[in-house]
Amino acid sequence: MTQDLFLLTLLFLALLGAMAWPLGAHMARLFSGTYAWQPRLEAGLLRLLRLNGDDMRWTVYALGVLLFNLIGLLVLYGLQRLQGGLPFNPQGFGAVSADSAFNTAISFVTNTNWQGYAGESTMSHGVQMLGLTVQNFLSAATGIVVAIALMRGFALRAAAGLGNVWLDLLRAVLGVLLPLSLLLALALAGLGVVQSLDAHVTVALHGTPGSTQTLPLGPVASQEAIKLLGTNGGGFFNANSAHPFENPSALTNLLEMLAIFLVPAALCFAFGRLVGDRRQGWTLLAAMTLLFLIMLAVFFAAESSANPLLTALGVDGHAGNLEGKELRFGLAGSSLFAVVTTAASCGAVNAMHDSLMPLAGLVTLLQMQLGEVIFGGVGSGFYGMLLFAVVAVFVAGLMIGRTPEYLGKKIQSFDIRMTMLALLATPLLVLAGTALSVVLPAGLAGPANPGAHGFSEVLYAFSSAANNNGSAFAGLSANTPFYNTLLGLAMWFGRFLVIVPVLALAGSLAAKKAVPVTSGTLRTDTGLFVGLLMGAVLIVGALTYLPALALGPIAEHLTLFGIH
Amino acid sequence: MDIKQTPQSPLSSASTGRSMARASLLDARLLRPAVAGSLLRLAPQAQWKNPVMFVVYLGSMFTTVLLGLALAGHADAPPAFVALVAVTLWLTVLFANFAEALAEGRSRAQAASLRAAKKNVAAKKLRAPRRDAGVELVASTDLRKGDVVLVEAGDTLPGDGEVIDGIASVDESAITGESAPVIRESGGDFSSVTGGTRVLSDWLVVRITTQPGEAFLDRMIAMVEGASRKKTPNEIALTVFLVALTIVFLLACVTLYPFSVYAATASGGSPVSLTVLVALLVCLIPTTIGGLLSAIGVAGMGRLLRANVIATSGRAIEAAGDVDVLLLDKTGTITLGNRQATRFVPAPGVEEGALASAAQLASLADETPEGRSIVVLAKQRFNLRERTVGELKGEFVPFSAQTRMSGVDTGGQRIRKGAADAVRRFVEAQGGAFPEAVSAAVDAVARSGATPLVVVENTRVLGVVELKDIVKGGIRERFAELRRMGIRTVMVTGDNRLTAAAIAAEAGVDDFLAEATPEAKLTLIRREQAAGRLVAMTGDGTNDAPALAQADVAVAMNSGTQAAKEAGNMVDLDSNPTKLIEIVAIGKEMLMTRGALTTFSIANDVAKYFAILPAAFVATYPQLGALNLMHLASPQSAILSAVIFNALIIVALIPLALRGVRYRPDTAEKLLRRNLLVYGLGGLLTPFAGIKLIDLALVALGVA
């Protein structure tokens, strides 16, 4: 069992590195505009779309990002509300309710893809394709351009602007996400993921004459590809990647996991190239990978232990906790997927997270609460990790007796203000949202289980929403006006209360001159710094959430195993 | 050749402030006012300035109210327990106040000992800027900038100013600790005088250049005192960081109440008490660094004062830690203040003794250190007796900017010494020729990094005197140290490239600027800054002022002109250019102390969680008792131990905050590794031991 996981993880990381490295190189070139074919093509595209291609100050860049997402939000809300009258609706679904549409629109625009609804019984193919899938691309592109803008903040010297937001969005969608999705969609369809515009097929059940089964169909493979590549996670079906039409085999399972980490890993390589020091990219990747392996180890240790409540009923516990798992994937395939999907802010699931052992549930919770920086969402994981790097550099820089600097840029009071603003946003939303929900009657109606587990369900929902993960612990009845609204707000602010300060930080850094490196400079490409960065992530995250976690999964774990 | 007079600067700094500085931390003279100060600082407007401690302050008030309620019968927790927590929280606030008051007291005492020199004296204010304009007696504090005063032998200078007439010897020992009087005269580099010094002979007419209360010392004292102390950029950034952490923990603790209410409803227990929540909050927020932050800044300024440096901006002290390039004047910093004659190189056909004799004659009336050294060398080598110009019946020809030579006319002989080109012109103007061999000797001397002086008698060139710069002992090692710290040293000199290169190589500097003019210096600083580097320099002359104003850390010598002092952001009372290296270390220590205590403070939280969480939820989830790794006796003793540890650690770290984390010149990587080990790992482990010990003590005392 452990050997399975070990080999699978090794294979996974090796393939990831092999694919992310060239993609990172491609993205670095693409976003610097150094391909020979770029200038003419891009100028033409901008002319066609009547967009201005000028260099933008951070404020204009941020305004562009906000405007772009606001329009996306309105369109997606409109599509859902008008669903009944729109084409590609073979099932004849009516309008989605106002609060659910609000929640879903924010959810897909913010790259969260939290789903309060069941896809196959709520959304028409038309809305899935035109609304949800389109936003899967656009929200991922938003993450990428913000990450690129922050990289430019470090790479540029004494610059007024951060680049052009429209051009960057075009590059992200057309130059990165579309080609990758096309390849992946074809591969998945080839491996058995369904792709059809029909409603469903009704088949007679073999061996039981007279009874039939309805098999839902849809443009699944095409949505599946971007769902993973864009770390969106919103499944075509409610069962998400546990559904055999979304994820039929061990091979597709591996492919899907790789797709989740591909762009986040490639961004590290792109960073190294853009700032002209590849070791810097490797450092971030090393910190992410090590944190990931620690989380995986804890998760797997918890999952391979038997649930004492089940063993008491005479269930053989040797295979570990198989409750809520797809046996097609087994313990290793499910564990790796669960840790990957919560490390990255994907939220696609191939197992029931509500059925995880308490400590495994804690790992998934904590990974989200750390701010989705262990690989993290497309773009957002990268800029989140850089925020922690800024914190690490700040404290360490003081300890060597210099004004802290990262990649030659001095970290001063404005930069710290923006960094801390971005890092404060999600704990505020998670803790305040959870607190409101466990006090108000409307919130208390949600959890399916009482006590510590019920608390974990609510905490998981807000951690997932505010950190734009979108996976669910399930168990929580969240499709209510109360949760739809509160979680919708958590998703929106969890996204943009981070993005705006990050762009402000990028603008401030870009405007600075670079300090030359001397032997008195804190090196940020060493093992020591990897350790420091991991420490910053774990300590800030753990200190913020330890009390809440103690009342949830930790109390649950101690109760379950009768530890006193 | 530029024979610039450089004031002799004492290498070892004897000073007036030393005895005070060495006073122990526990000196009663400092402790008593500090205790009073810590009580005075309980005023809300004083607390508001420090956001982290303000939260503790509010927490103390809140628990006091809870105590009142508990006594009135609305017990949130046992009244004795609430009382103990409330008292400990108030003590936490007082300890932080005490640290700040103590640091201020020490720095103020330091400054006061310097200020003692600044007595309030009667000033002879002149009605017009002439000596004979008639005086009226006014108090020195009533003087305004621009007033002109007469200072005569025996008078104390009423304020900082610029000499506009007269020449006098002045005793500046009160400020510099150097007992030899110095000459002050109008014009040039020696025209600035400092208030509090005493005129020993003759008289001066001085224009006052500072408003009373604005003089350097006053500015520094004002910076130390709370009222006008501005936070430095780094201090602001750190405060932002600490405030953000405080908000995070505030959130974690405030939301914990509803969480525990939910948990208690489900498990049938009771929710966490408010007293415990406040205790948890105070333990988690970074009180250690928050309480000591301002003390660290004040102590940094105090350490600077102890080094006899007056800073006029806190920003500059911090910038000193960041310096990448040090511009060091060659003379006085890298080499001993002056060049010394080391060798006579006679022209062909000239006896070495004859050259020595002529050189000595030409130097007899030359009081510059170079001139004296020629006389001494001639006496040592050829036992030539010193003669006086009077007994030779000669006439001394002083150095002038036009001839660039000095010498003596005696009995029809015109003996001169000077730079090769000046002598060549002198010889050729009289129809003589400058021998090739001497030219070659001149070049050879220059190439070796020494300065050639050519001696001539009428038209006959006698030879070359080699004047050599003596590089200070140990300076090479200092520069190697600086290089390890990542600081580049640039030697600035008026010498030609050859000479400069030779000395640069001998002293081990990284770079040099030869034939430096004030403009060249300014350009160099701008170029370094454009490349993102921070530049520190020292200067004394008026012509250094533009460069001083441009540099990030500019240390003016106290012996320098008023213009130089105004342009710089620090004044070195010892006028010791090597002090720059010490200033850099003080700047770094200040930042390091902040960083170290921040790390320590955050690392402490881990143990505090393990102490408080199981205790706080004992009534909700007793199984969380498994987290009680320290096996603390009871929930109440656990919480009390954590709060008490949190308060005591502030007191325990006051000496470190005041002394500063010692800076050792080393690479960033090694420094970080060491400090992470000491303050990171140490911060993680110390509270486990500390809290356990306090718990044992509480149990032994029967308190909990």
Side-chain angles (χ1 to χ4, degrees), chain A residues 398-399 402-403 519 543 559, chain B residues 234 322 324 484 609 623 675:
Chain A
L398 285 179
M399 265 197 290
R402 278 174 76 92
T403 295
S519 63
L543 290 183
T559 313
Chain B
N234 241 304
D322 280 348
D324 302 292
R484 262 206 309 286
Y609 263 133
Q623 57 270 39
N675 285 333

Side-chain angles (χ1 to χ4, degrees), chain B residues 493-688:
Chain B
T493 171
D495 295 340
N496 61 51
R497 288 193 58 81
L498 277 179
T499 315
I503 296 169
E506 191 179 342
V509 291
D510 296 299
D511 203 353
F512 62 90
L513 178 68
E515 286 154 1
T517 58
E519 294 76 37
K521 245 187 201 178
L522 191 60
T523 317
L524 175 70
I525 295 176
R526 291 221 171 107
R527 199 174 57 226
E528 295 287 357
Q529 286 173 336
R533 298 190 184 92
L534 246 63
V535 181
M537 70 169 285
T538 57
D540 51 9
T542 301
N543 56 10
D544 283 333
L548 282 169
Q550 181 71 35
D552 301 283
V553 177
V555 184
M557 300 291 101
N558 192 49
S559 56
T561 62
Q562 192 62 30
K565 287 190 229 173
E566 289 291 338
N569 43 28
M570 289 187 202
V571 177
D572 178 18
L573 296 178
D574 299 336
S575 303
N576 170 10
T578 327
K579 194 71 77 62
L580 210 45
I581 299 170
E582 257 173 82
I583 294 173
V584 168
I586 290 174
K588 283 193 181 292
E589 282 174 355
M590 206 163 76
L591 292 179
M592 281 170 60
T593 312
R594 286 190 197 137
L597 290 184
T598 304
T599 311
F600 187 84
S601 205
I602 298 172
N604 269 205
D605 282 358
V606 176
K608 291 175 188 165
Y609 263 133
F610 280 107
I612 296 187
L613 278 185
F617 296 112
V618 68
T620 324
Y621 290 122
Q623 57 270 39
L624 283 177
L627 297 181
N628 184 1
L629 298 180
M630 286 169 270
H631 297 288
L632 302 177
S634 71
Q636 291 188 7
S637 78
I639 290 160
L640 277 176
S641 306
V643 190
I644 292 173
F645 174 82
N646 191 53
L648 289 182
I649 198 73
I650 295 182
V651 181
L653 290 175
I654 288 177
L656 180 71
L658 296 189
R659 237 189 1 251
V661 170
R662 218 172 75 79
Y663 179 73
R664 278 177 257 189
D666 223 329
T667 60
E669 192 78 1
K670 281 188 191 153
L671 277 177
L672 180 60
R673 207 174 286 272
R674 184 167 47 232
N675 285 333
L676 266 182
L677 202 68
V678 175
Y679 300 99
L681 196 64
L684 204 64
L685 299 178
T686 312
F688 278 102

Side-chain angles (χ1 to χ4, degrees), chain A residues 76-415:
Chain A
L76 188 52
Y77 182 79
L79 281 173
Q80 291 179 79
R81 298 291 286 155
L82 303 174
Q83 180 169 258
L86 293 175
F88 296 111
N89 188 358
Q91 302 100 322
F93 293 138
V96 181
S97 75
D99 59 290
S100 175
F102 166 80
N103 181 286
T104 306
I106 290 185
S107 167
F108 277 75
V109 167
T110 56
N111 196 250
T112 312
N113 305 48
W114 165 271
Q115 291 166 298
Y117 61 93
E120 58 270 49
S121 58
T122 317
M123 299 287 174
S124 69
H125 292 345
V127 173
Q128 293 259 23
M129 291 190 300
L130 291 176
L132 304 185
T133 308
V134 166
Q135 269 309 322
N136 278 352
F137 278 97
L138 301 187
S139 65
T142 299
I144 292 179
V145 303
V146 174
I148 292 289
L150 185 56
M151 292 182 202
R152 289 194 186 127
F154 285 104
L156 293 171
R157 271 114 182 78
L162 287 175
N164 182 287
V165 70
W166 311 126
L167 195 56
D168 287 341
L169 283 168
L170 282 171
R171 287 167 174 169
V173 174
L174 302 179
V176 181
L177 296 171
L178 261 180
L180 284 176
S181 304
L182 197 66
L183 287 175
L184 185 63
L186 287 174
L188 288 176
L191 290 167
V193 176
V194 299
Q195 177 77 12
S196 158
L197 285 179
D198 292 337
H200 44 72
V201 286
T202 307
V203 290
L205 276 184
H206 198 65
T208 43
S211 47
T212 55
Q213 189 182 7
T214 306
L215 297 178
L217 291 177
V220 180
S222 56
Q223 193 184 320
E224 193 69 15
I226 186 63
K227 159 190 135 182
L228 302 161
L229 281 167
T231 63
N232 291 288
F236 193 91
F237 302 114
N238 195 29
N240 212 306
S241 286
H243 197 294
F245 289 1
E246 282 200 26
N247 191 6
S249 65
L251 193 55
T252 55
N253 198 47
L254 180 64
L255 214 53
E256 294 193 0
M257 291 190 289
L258 283 170
I260 296 175
F261 270 7
L262 181 60
V263 180
L267 279 169
C268 292
F269 292 127
F271 175 65
R273 286 169 184 267
L274 280 178
V275 299
D277 181 356
R278 296 191 190 173
R279 285 178 61 103
Q280 302 290 347
W282 278 108
T283 310
L284 293 181
L285 193 68
M288 286 180 177
T289 309
L290 284 173
L291 282 169
F292 170 73
L293 289 175
I294 294 173
M295 294 293 174
L296 182 64
V298 176
F299 185 99
F300 193 72
E303 281 299 292
S304 33
S305 64
N307 188 333
L309 296 182
L310 291 177
T311 16
L313 297 173
V315 176
D316 178 12
H318 284 102
N321 177 35
L322 288 176
E323 153 78 13
K325 303 269 184 309
E326 272 288 298
L327 291 178
R328 287 178 294 139
F329 307 128
L331 206 55
S334 304
S335 297
L336 189 59
F337 198 105
V339 179
V340 165
T341 195
T342 48
S345 81
C346 183
V349 290
N350 75 353
M352 191 68 161
H353 286 197
D354 201 22
S355 304
L356 296 176
M357 297 298 283
L359 287 187
L362 179 129
V363 168
T364 59
L365 255 173
L366 189 62
Q367 292 208 93
M368 292 187 277
Q369 292 168 339
L370 294 179
E372 296 290 11
V373 296
I374 306 174
F375 292 92
V378 164
S380 62
F382 178 83
Y383 58 70
M385 193 51 136
L386 269 194
L387 292 175
F388 279 108
V390 168
V391 169
V393 159
F394 182 71
V395 177
L398 285 179
M399 265 197 290
I400 59 163
R402 278 174 76 92
T403 295
E405 63 204 46
Y406 187 33
L407 297 166
K409 298 297 179 103
K410 282 214 160 94
I411 306 299
Q412 290 159 318
S413 112
F414 179 82
D415 312 305

